[in-house]
Amino acid sequence: MYNFLSNKYLLLILRVIVGFVFLYAGAQKINSPSSFAESINAYKLFPEILINFFAVFIPWLEVVSGMMLIFGIAVRENSSIISSLLTLFILLIVISMFRGLEIDCGCFGDSTVNPIGFKKLVENIVLLFMSILLMIGKISAIKLIRD
């Protein structure tokens, strides 16, 4: 039986998709940290003293991890970082949906309107699944670009 987790082309496509999404999302947030801080504050879950730190730190983490993923550098480690972020985002969406909040997720800064909801939840779950596949994929297949 063919193991799709050793298919270097599939893993390359996953790396590029997940990496680009996080590179783009982080870059949009870096362009407008105050807008991203407002989005974080709208969830009403974090102490105000941490909001500005998160608004600056998370976008740079997304950009660096996304870029490294695209170029095949420390794929498992960066997939792990991205998976952790996605898990946090999924939890925030679920909690906010249960609380009945009708807010923008803040996913792509203020470049687009992305209300939290079932669609956003599914998008994040799909990205998490893709990121997990990269974490467990065969390492020799993951490093296609650098070979």
Side-chain angles (χ1 to χ4, degrees):
M1 182 175 169
Y2 181 72
N3 183 357
F4 75 97
L5 290 176
S6 62
N7 182 321
K8 61 186 176 182
Y9 300 106
L10 172 66
L11 295 173
L12 173 64
I13 290 168
L14 293 177
R15 271 190 16 231
V16 170
I17 291 170
V18 174
F20 180 75
V21 167
F22 275 80
L23 177 63
Y24 178 77
Q28 293 301 312
K29 293 172 196 164
I30 288 169
N31 284 334
S32 183
S34 61
S35 175
F36 185 48
E38 290 173 16
S39 294
I40 294 170
N41 193 41
Y43 285 95
K44 302 199 183 311
L45 290 171
F46 301 102
E48 282 191 37
I49 196 165
L50 294 177
I51 290 175
N52 287 335
F53 171 75
F54 289 151
V56 172
F57 178 73
I58 290 174
W60 282 104
L61 183 62
E62 291 176 337
V63 165
V64 170
S65 291
M67 183 105 53
M68 292 180 80
L69 205 57
I70 291 168
F71 288 110
I73 301 168
V75 173
R76 287 201 170 123
E77 293 82 354
N78 286 294
S79 294
S80 177
I81 291 168
I82 288 174
S83 293
S84 298
L85 287 171
L86 285 164
T87 301
L88 173 65
F89 299 159
I90 289 166
L91 287 171
L92 289 172
I93 291 168
V94 169
I95 290 168
S96 298
M97 287 172 61
F98 276 117
R99 293 172 64 205
L101 297 179
E102 294 181 13
I103 58 174
D104 184 76
C105 71
C107 304
F108 296 99
D110 56 2
S111 66
T112 59
V113 176
N114 288 296
I116 60 166
F118 186 73
K119 179 182 175 225
K120 189 52 59 183
L121 181 63
V122 170
E123 289 172 8
N124 280 274
I125 290 171
V126 168
L127 284 169
L128 177 60
F129 177 71
M130 293 167 68
S131 186
I132 290 170
L133 289 178
L134 288 170
M135 282 192 312
I136 63 175
K138 188 174 177 186
I139 197 71
S140 62
I142 289 174
K143 295 185 177 186
L144 176 68
I145 286 180
R146 294 185 356 185
D147 291 344

